[in-house]
Amino acid sequence: MKKEFFTVKDVSSMTGVSVRTLHHYDSIGLLKPATITESGYRLYDDASLKKLQSILLFRELEFPLKEIGNIVNNPDFDSRKAVKDQRELLKLKQKHIDGLIALADKLLIQEDYMAFKKFDREEIEKYAAEVKQRWGATDQYSEYAQKSRSRTTDQHNALGAQLMEIFTEIGKLTELSPENAQVQAKVKDLQDFITANYYNCTKDILKGLGSMYIADKRFKENIDKAGGEGAASFVAKAIEIYCKE
């Protein structure tokens, strides 16, 4: 079956994205055409359109272009999994907008009605941060990818085992309070280990990881398996305290 190609004008007509924007996406490496003719015409294929769809959804969710590029150009990018994340973010955004509409309705009835909580985007921003961390829309991911390329599978597995051992050690301290000095020292060990072996783990990054340890089912199960039931929640709380200092 012959592969179908689309010109910039075709893509613009189908998607509503301007020709100028498509040219810009090409120039910054966000969406390269599938091929370029001898006459210099950009041609896009079905894979290009699928990628553009992901880009537009992330744009609708107000992700910066640089972060979108890091996400969709990630070798491990899975468009189906990404759509699930995008759907969840859209639902949160819809919930946020519905709240604002309800507030506007009340303001039409009662002008001095106070409900500033409706403007709070914390839930959306928290999930968006987790998505960016998951898909590597950060400089840290670039550092991680660079280090990973030089390691064998055995080396990857050995590092993973060492990381789980830290969670095992923290799990042995769950009878203490999360702010206990011993616990906080282990959180510092965790931060240092990630920085030494994966990427520069700032407190902001570590805080995001703490949230992911309980929000992502896979992380939660693995940490609880290493440190015992409730270890993931305990680690997340200890990280939260550590990052406030």
Side-chain angles (χ1 to χ4, degrees), residues 29-30 51 58 66-79 82 131-138 141-142 144-145 149:
L30 179 59
K51 187 175 182 181
F58 278 121
K66 181 181 178 181
E67 292 178 353
I68 296 174
N70 288 338
I71 291 172
V72 299
N73 292 322
N74 178 349
D76 298 323
F77 180 68
D78 184 322
S79 61
V131 170
K132 292 171 188 177
Q133 185 70 34
R134 185 177 300 121
W135 292 113
T138 61
Y141 180 81
S142 298
Y144 166 74
R149 280 193 288 270

Side-chain angles (χ1 to χ4, degrees), residues 57 60-62 85-103 118-121 123-125 127:
L57 274 172
E60 192 66 31
L61 291 164
E62 301 174 21
D85 285 330
Q86 290 166 333
R87 184 177 184 276
E88 185 61 32
L89 275 167
L90 287 167
K91 285 168 64 180
L92 290 173
K93 189 174 182 179
Q94 181 183 43
K95 178 182 174 183
H96 178 70
I97 291 172
D98 286 345
L100 291 175
I101 291 172
L103 171 60
K118 298 297 182 183
F119 295 97
D120 187 0
R121 291 175 53 86
E123 191 175 7
I124 297 174
E125 289 170 0
Y127 194 90

Side-chain angles (χ1 to χ4, degrees), residues 8-24:
V8 173
K9 188 176 179 181
D10 291 334
V11 175
S12 178
S13 178
M14 285 187 290
T15 64
V17 178
S18 71
V19 170
R20 182 178 179 181
T21 296
L22 290 170
H23 285 176
H24 178 59

Side-chain angles (χ1 to χ4, degrees), residues 194-212:
I194 294 171
T195 294
N197 297 287
Y198 296 107
Y199 48 77
N200 180 29
C201 187
T202 64
K203 282 193 174 182
D204 283 342
I205 294 295
L206 185 62
K207 186 178 179 181
L209 289 173
S211 297
M212 193 186 298

